[in-house]
Amino acid sequence: MAQVSEEREDRVDATGEHPAAAPGTPEPAHAGTPATPDFPGTTGATAETPVVPETSGTGAPSDPAAPATGEATRSSAAEAPGTEAAPEAKKASKAGRNLPAAIGVGLLLGAAIIVSLLTVRFLFIGIIAIAIAVGTFEFAGVLRRVADTRVAMIPVLVGGQAMIWLAWPFGREGALTAFVLTVLACLLWRLPGGAKGYLRDISASVFAAAYLPLFGAFAAMLVPPSDGVGRVLTFLIGVVASDTGGYIAGVLGGKHPMAPTISPKKTWEGFGGSLVGGVVAGALTLSLLLDGHVWQGVIFGVAIVLTATLGDLVESLIKRDLGVKDMGTLLPGHGGIMDRLDSLLPSAVVSWLLLSAFVPLG
């Protein structure tokens, strides 16, 4: 699952300059500096804690009145006594991350998936279950640290595993039944904590249960049919082709922002590249791996590009709302598991729906 998105908000452009923050949008916290956003209704002791000045990508304090340009940041760093201005190009690659590490981790993950599918394909369900559990820990941890919001961890973790594993023998009915029972368990689990923050915590718990394990259960439902390996590969190749095509087109010719207030580096040119990659991958995989029609593959490819892009934007918006750069640090060059699941989760739902309609279950 080597996916490197070209338009994440933390990425530098081809000139090496960081994009200016959108008006009214909090900057992600600098590495090593805890984010201290002001969340109404939270019980965190932010009033008694000294506020750490926000820093720009170079580590220099951000001045709201100063122009948010790379030149202004570099000049202020150069004028500071005892500091030495280092070129931006030396601090980050065009991808904004350690690209060799990202590629290496992606290849390892992809190899693990292919081995599981080509040996005992049901092992892939175990990979999904582990990824969802780790992603849940990451998401709940960020909410607790940044927003003083507490996810009902035990019900969401146990219920999430039930959704994924019950999707194997019982399909959609098993996953949805487990989800409903998980919501009920969250409502009961939070009762002893009292009224303060109850709705906030329950809302976060239900969102976590739906966004992670319920969506992930649809990926698990691709495995059981006799042609399950082809279905899973069609789904994964479509998402990877969309991300890769968007990355290449965005880096080479991205000029027109697609959603500047959400993800400033996501461009319409990159979206066009995603469409090309997704459509070609869909047409090839659906016709060669699943004996479907080329026109079905084209529709599938377009749908995957739309849902993968939506997932990326939603994840970016969540991180901007929380004021964090990544959801975790488990995967070098990628961030956390949640940062790799953003385009996969909604695409799994659409993949299952379309492949069930286009290719009869074997």
Side-chain angles (χ1 to χ4, degrees):
M1 286 187 297
Q3 306 164 48
V4 185
S5 177
E6 81 284 10
E7 293 104 353
R8 293 192 182 279
E9 62 271 17
D10 54 299
R11 179 168 301 142
V12 295
D13 60 16
T15 64
E17 295 179 358
H18 288 271
T25 306
E27 288 189 18
H30 188 264
T33 306
T36 55
D38 184 12
F39 290 90
T42 61
T43 57
T46 55
E48 300 175 4
T49 305
V51 178
V52 180
E54 288 189 319
T55 59
S56 67
T58 62
S62 255
D63 183 0
T69 64
E71 292 297 329
T73 305
R74 285 193 294 272
S75 62
S76 62
E79 293 170 2
T83 55
E84 187 174 330
E88 290 282 344
K90 294 183 179 179
K91 295 188 176 182
S93 67
K94 290 182 180 180
R97 296 183 185 273
N98 186 334
L99 196 55
I103 293 174
V105 169
L107 290 175
L108 287 176
L109 293 175
I113 291 171
I114 291 174
V115 169
S116 69
L117 290 174
L118 297 182
T119 53
V120 181
R121 70 177 189 272
F122 289 101
L123 290 176
F124 180 66
I125 298 179
I127 293 176
I128 296 172
I130 294 172
I132 293 300
V134 175
T136 302
F137 270 111
E138 290 178 347
F139 185 55
V142 171
L143 287 179
R144 183 177 62 254
R145 292 191 304 271
V146 175
D148 194 30
T149 299
R150 301 187 179 275
V151 172
M153 283 298 296
I154 300 301
V156 172
L157 282 175
V158 174
Q161 294 300 302
M163 291 179 223
I164 293 168
W165 291 106
L166 289 179
W168 175 1
F170 301 112
R172 180 175 49 188
E173 290 77 11
L176 291 177
T177 300
F179 173 69
V180 171
L181 293 176
T182 300
V183 173
L184 291 175
C186 290
L187 295 173
L188 293 173
W189 188 270
R190 181 56 179 78
L191 279 178
K196 187 173 184 180
Y198 181 82
L199 182 60
R200 176 196 62 204
D201 294 346
I202 289 300
S203 299
S205 300
V206 173
F207 176 78
Y211 185 59
L212 285 154
L214 183 59
F215 281 14
F218 283 87
M221 284 190 281
L222 294 171
V223 179
S226 58
D227 58 354
V229 172
R231 291 173 186 266
V232 173
L233 288 177
T234 298
F235 152 57
L236 293 177
I237 291 173
V239 176
V240 171
S242 171
D243 284 355
T244 304
Y247 171 76
I248 295 173
V251 168
L252 294 180
K255 295 180 180 178
H256 300 88
M258 186 179 182
T261 60
I262 300 175
S263 184
K265 298 304 294 178
K266 184 173 287 297
T267 62
W268 286 108
E269 290 81 3
F271 180 72
S274 292
L275 278 176
V276 172
V279 166
V280 171
L284 291 176
T285 54
L286 222 113
S287 59
L288 297 178
L289 297 178
L290 297 175
D291 295 326
H293 299 289
V294 171
W295 66 266
Q296 293 173 329
V298 171
I299 294 175
F300 178 83
V302 171
I304 289 300
V305 169
L306 292 175
T307 52
T309 303
L310 173 65
D312 191 33
L313 290 173
V314 167
E315 179 86 359
S316 295
L317 198 57
I318 290 173
K319 290 191 288 188
R320 281 187 173 275
D321 184 26
L322 295 175
V324 297
K325 177 182 177 182
D326 291 317
M327 288 291 185
T329 58
L330 182 63
L331 304 177
H334 291 270
I337 290 289
M338 274 286 292
D339 298 293
R340 294 298 87 211
L341 294 176
D342 53 4
S343 55
L344 288 167
L345 290 171
S347 298
V349 179
V350 172
S351 293
W352 183 84
L353 292 171
L354 288 180
L355 293 180
S356 298
F358 290 158
V359 184
L361 295 175

